[in-house]
């Protein structure tokens, strides 16, 4: 699903929560949870991309969507390739045009496995590649990332230069006093 603002000036970060609350309430009346994930994008007009796991047969009609999202337009489709849509949602190429101090993604209604998967998907790819399966990490200010189970610290293999990102020398990653 895509929720687009008709006017970027009408953007308010709380509107996505209002929309999801409406859908969640409808699911609750039917006895279902609402697993979802969303991301804010600014290519063109500000808009949200969402994945909602709805029960078979449940339809969000245009009139209901217009009532729940009166700030612009909506687009919906049945997702046949969840991984492909998730990859599309995960592209963060327009971050410079998103208002400061705004959450750019969110999720809810997930079980523990889903929460871990969403948290892991938000990590840098280099960290996903080296973090043990099922492991999680948090940003460790000034150092990089830390494994939440072991406390091991991971340092990015990249460093910023005036010409852009560059791969660090192996010596930059070695602990003090260690030889490479």
């Amino acid at each position: 699903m895509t929720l687009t603002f008709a006017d970027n000036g009408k953007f308010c970060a709380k509107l996505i929560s209002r929309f999801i609350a409406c859908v969640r309430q409808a699911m609750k009346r039917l006895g279902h949870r609402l697993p979802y994930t969303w991301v804010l994008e600014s290519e063109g007009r500000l808009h949200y991309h969402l994945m909602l796991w709805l029960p078979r047969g449940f339809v969000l009609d245009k009139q209901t969507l217009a009532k729940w999202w009166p700030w612009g337009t909506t687009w919906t489709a049945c997702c046949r390739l969840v991984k492909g849509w998730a990859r599309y949602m995960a592209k963060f190429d327009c971050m410079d045009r998103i208002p400061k101090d705004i959450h750019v993604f969110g999720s809810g209604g997930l079980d523990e496995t889903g929460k871990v998967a969403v948290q892991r998907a938000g990590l840098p790819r280099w960290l996903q590649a080296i973090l043990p399966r099922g492991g999680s990490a948090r940003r460790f200010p000034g150092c990089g990332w830390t494994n939440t189970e072991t406390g091991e610290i991971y340092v990015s293999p990249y460093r910023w230069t005036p010409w852009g990102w560059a791969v660090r020398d192996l010596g930059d990653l070695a602990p003090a006093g260690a030889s490479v």
Side-chain angles (χ1 to χ4, degrees):
M1 174 178 292
T2 302
L3 306 174
T4 305
F5 285 91
D7 176 9
N8 283 354
K10 303 235 188 250
F11 174 80
C12 174
K14 293 181 180 183
L15 299 180
I16 188 68
S17 297
R18 286 187 194 173
F19 176 82
I20 289 172
C22 290
V23 181
R24 186 184 294 125
Q25 180 103 13
M27 291 294 98
K28 190 174 182 180
R29 281 193 296 266
L30 296 172
H32 294 282
R33 289 180 320 138
L34 177 66
Y36 66 89
T37 186
W38 60 264
V39 65
L40 176 63
E41 188 178 321
S42 66
E43 185 68 35
R45 293 191 192 126
L46 289 171
H47 59 280
Y48 289 102
H49 291 296
L50 296 91
M51 279 197 298
L52 307 172
W53 283 264
L54 303 173
R56 289 195 187 279
F58 182 81
V59 178
L60 289 169
D61 61 76
K62 290 184 186 255
Q63 293 79 20
T64 303
L65 286 173
K67 185 170 75 175
W68 291 348
W69 188 258
W71 304 283
T73 59
T74 61
W75 175 84
T76 62
C78 182
C79 185
R80 301 205 190 301
L81 298 170
V82 175
K83 284 185 180 179
W85 186 243
R87 260 190 246 104
Y88 178 77
M89 286 177 58
K91 68 174 182 11
F92 286 104
D93 56 355
C94 307
M95 299 302 292
D96 57 327
R97 294 186 294 265
I98 291 180
K100 300 290 182 222
D101 300 326
I102 298 295
H103 289 281
V104 293
F105 64 92
S107 62
L110 303 169
D111 59 13
E112 282 306 311
T113 304
K115 288 177 186 177
V116 169
V118 167
Q119 190 270 344
R120 189 176 180 102
L123 297 175
R125 289 182 192 222
W126 64 265
L127 184 55
Q128 290 178 23
I130 61 175
L131 193 63
R133 187 174 202 83
S136 63
R138 291 189 182 259
R139 190 176 295 280
F140 194 77
C143 292
W145 295 82
T146 184
N147 183 319
T148 56
E149 285 84 32
T150 66
E152 182 179 0
I153 294 180
Y154 304 106
V155 178
S156 172
Y158 304 100
R159 64 180 172 84
W160 179 251
T161 71
W163 304 276
W165 292 100
V167 177
R168 292 180 186 267
D169 291 333
L170 290 177
D172 291 347
L173 299 177
S179 60
V180 178

